[in-house]
Amino acid sequence: MTKRHVVLIFFLTAFYLPALCFGEQPIDVLQKNIEEGLNILRDPQYNESSRKKAQTARLWIVTREIFDFEEFSRRVLASYWPKFLPRQQKDFTAVFAEFLGKFYLRRVQARYNGETVFYLGQKLIGKSRALVDIKVLWKNLEVPVSVRMTNRSGTWKVYDLSALGISALSNYRSQFHWILKKQSPDQVIELLRAKLHHLEKEDQ
């Protein structure tokens, strides 16, 4: 399984994670609202290619509700995060989130084939973090997945996922740290914008 497949599973699993009401356990969130994302993927009204953009829009709404893209971006940049001005941090988070959404959502739509998720357990790490262990049946292969979540303002959100020992966060951190050795924050943001623009042209 490649790193790209790991991140794809990351997004696929995300559609099974709903917004959390205060007081609920992270694993309860996974189990209670799994059908929300599955119903969008299974909905026959989106079988026609002309309806795929509408399906993507609905999935993007779900994704933004359950992913903490700011936390993900901050951890991806790690030691470089303080070197970004507040404006640059905001821009990086927004463009990076949109790039991830456009890049992976359409791949999930194309490759989803009734994958099943099993919930194995959770570990609460203090009051604001949790690790939820699940298993995804992916093309007849049982893939153990660890979902890392954070609780801010009473809402649990996902900020990382690891499959077969490969972390989506660590994967992107390595890529951006290599780029930031040679380019400035503004240059990195423009690089992301260019990649996003390329994806948008492909969708036209």
Side-chain angles (χ1 to χ4, degrees):
M1 177 176 291
T2 66
K3 291 182 179 179
R4 179 169 292 183
H5 286 136
V6 170
V7 181
L8 184 61
I9 292 175
F10 181 42
F11 271 78
L12 178 62
T13 307
F15 303 139
Y16 308 155
L17 303 175
L20 175 69
C21 296
F22 183 79
E24 287 186 297
Q25 298 296 312
I27 197 167
D28 293 334
V29 174
L30 293 172
Q31 294 172 319
K32 181 178 178 180
N33 297 298
I34 189 172
E35 290 302 321
E36 179 178 0
L38 288 174
N39 285 341
I40 298 174
L41 291 170
R42 292 172 176 168
D43 195 331
Q45 71 169 304
Y46 299 118
N47 289 343
E48 297 294 329
S49 58
S50 61
R51 295 287 296 157
K52 289 301 180 182
K53 287 187 178 181
Q55 185 185 49
T56 302
R58 288 191 62 191
L59 291 173
W60 181 230
I61 291 173
V62 175
T63 303
R64 291 189 68 87
E65 289 178 350
I66 61 177
F67 278 105
D68 191 332
F69 283 110
E70 181 179 350
E71 183 71 8
F72 185 64
S73 297
R74 184 178 67 81
R75 289 175 178 265
V76 162
L77 294 180
S79 61
Y80 285 97
W81 180 257
K83 299 178 182 180
F84 279 58
L85 297 173
R87 170 191 60 79
Q88 294 170 327
Q89 292 173 351
K90 183 177 180 180
D91 289 346
F92 177 87
T93 299
V95 179
F96 189 32
E98 193 169 356
F99 168 78
L100 291 172
K102 288 187 179 297
F103 187 82
Y104 288 106
L105 287 184
R106 61 182 180 180
R107 285 160 176 77
V108 168
Q109 290 170 276
R111 301 180 186 182
Y112 175 74
N113 190 30
E115 281 73 22
T116 304
V117 177
F118 301 93
Y119 305 91
L120 306 179
Q122 70 175 21
K123 179 181 179 181
L124 297 178
I125 307 172
K127 296 182 179 180
S128 62
R129 290 193 296 147
L131 179 65
V132 179
D133 290 320
I134 64 177
K135 181 170 60 178
V136 179
L137 185 59
W138 175 265
K139 296 183 178 179
N140 296 320
L141 175 67
E142 292 185 353
V143 181
V145 180
S146 295
V147 181
R148 295 188 180 276
M149 305 178 73
T150 183
N151 188 328
R152 293 199 290 182
S153 303
T155 301
W156 288 97
K157 291 194 174 187
V158 177
Y159 69 88
D160 189 23
L161 180 146
S162 299
L164 299 178
I166 302 175
S167 162
L169 194 157
S170 295
N171 178 30
Y172 277 105
R173 179 184 293 158
S174 297
Q175 293 183 44
F176 279 108
H177 279 210
W178 182 83
I179 295 172
L180 281 163
K181 288 180 179 179
K182 302 179 180 180
Q183 300 191 38
S184 69
D186 280 333
Q187 288 175 319
V188 170
I189 293 169
E190 287 306 313
L191 176 64
L192 277 174
R193 286 196 174 115
K195 289 182 176 294
L196 177 59
H197 180 66
H198 179 73
L199 289 176
E200 291 173 339
K201 287 184 65 177
E202 288 183 347
D203 289 337
Q204 291 177 357

